[in-house]
Amino acid sequence: MKATDIRASFAGYLGLQVLALLVLLAGLHFGASHPWSSLLASGNLFRLVLILAMGAIGTYIALKLSAVIDARNAVRAGSTVRPIQIAADEEDDPDQQDPVQACLDRLDRMTGLQAVKDEVRAVVARIQVEQRRAEAGLSVTAMSQHMVFSGSPGVGKTEVARILGDIFKALKLVRKGHVVEVDRAALVAGYVGQTAIKTQEKCKEALDGVLFIDEAYTLASDAQGGQGFGQESIDTLLKFMEDNRSRIVVIAAGYPREMELFIHSNPGLASRFTKQLHFTNYSEDELLDILASMAASQQFTLPQGYKDLVRPWLDSRVNDRSWANAREMRTLLERAREEQALRIASSPNASLTEISDADITAALERSRAYA
């Protein structure tokens, strides 16, 4: 029974009691055999008070009961899980960009790396065609998405891995698409029995996403005859990849020659890492563009002649094995900002965004000293 029904029933009951009272009073007042003086003696007053008391008690109980029912209904209404209503324009927005294309646009905005961009587009095209074949009921071939990224430091390997994670998520190859970045120190422990546990923890963290192993070749550096902590990590990694082949993508990265030796150091690695993307070093013009892009993203402007100032330094450094490409540009910009800060700290009217020729020159001198 609802609270409103209870209130209506007792309101009607109370109304009947009031009506009965009025009829009784009228009869007492106008009846010849029951004058007002005989009301008390006849006992009618007692019956009248009893009727009023019962009506008041009934009304009180009805109101209390209806209040309890209202409160209980309010709690139930508040705890009811209501379905989320999705607007039609949110569910199917024609202006919303395809998530795969959005990732490819991010890739295209990266400086250089044309060969890598072409390889990524080929991977995407192959996956999309295989998915269409599956939808059409045609046979499909299981494809390994594990990859090797070979190249020097600072050529965008980590950023491309992140874009690939988002692409795989958009294509529903993995559920999350997040990237877990590790190196040897994150996988290998210092004593027997703990490396497998450490490696497995990182693999589980990367489940439904991408495990990016930087300088992966260092895992094989102590794998003499199948021994060593690095080999224990490799064995654990291979087993996890096999047990969770549809839930994890592993990308192993490092210098080209070292990665070639690493992949062929173990038959299990060679059979699983079947795709290799090579990242070439940036050209001088590309590095100068990267420097300008970094400065713009940090709301700084470089002097017009910055290319002429930086190019001789690039000529002397780009062929060093320790050359770190875009990382070197980031370090150079940080040093130029420090020189700018020293120059304008005592000049309240100086520009906060302009980096001068003197700032670039001083930063280059410091870079040569640290080389």
Side-chain angles (χ1 to χ4, degrees), residues 182-189 195-196 198-200 202-203 211-238 241 250-254 258-259 261-263 265-266 269 273:
V182 298
D183 55 11
R184 177 186 170 92
L187 300 176
V188 176
T195 292
K198 200 171 183 180
T199 299
Q200 195 168 47
K202 286 298 179 181
C203 288
L211 180 67
F212 181 81
I213 309 175
D214 197 18
E215 298 182 343
Y217 56 86
T218 58
L219 294 175
S221 61
D222 61 354
Q224 300 293 333
Q227 303 298 319
F229 298 142
Q231 184 62 46
E232 183 181 0
S233 179
I234 292 174
D235 293 341
T236 303
L237 176 64
L238 290 175
M241 292 166 63
V250 179
I251 299 177
E258 284 82 350
M259 289 305 299
L261 296 173
F262 168 69
I263 293 301
S265 67
N266 186 304
L269 292 172
F273 291 92

Side-chain angles (χ1 to χ4, degrees), residues 5-23:
D5 297 336
I6 295 175
R7 284 195 292 267
S9 298
F10 277 91
Y13 172 75
L14 183 60
L16 291 175
Q17 296 299 318
V18 173
L19 181 61
L21 175 62
L22 293 175
V23 171

Side-chain angles (χ1 to χ4, degrees), residues 308-317 328 332 335 360-371:
D308 295 333
L309 294 172
V310 177
R311 197 180 294 276
W313 174 69
L314 292 176
D315 290 338
S316 65
R317 293 278 287 121
E328 301 283 357
L332 178 63
R335 288 170 178 165
I360 296 290
T361 301
L364 289 170
E365 290 300 323
R366 289 174 59 186
S367 296
R368 291 188 180 95
Y370 285 110

Side-chain angles (χ1 to χ4, degrees), residues 164-176:
L164 276 172
D166 291 336
I167 288 176
F168 291 151
K169 178 183 178 182
L171 292 172
K172 296 181 172 57
L173 290 184
V174 293
R175 186 166 59 88
K176 298 179 181 177

Side-chain angles (χ1 to χ4, degrees), residues 80-86:
T80 301
V81 179
R82 295 178 173 83
I84 299 174
Q85 300 295 327
I86 300 177

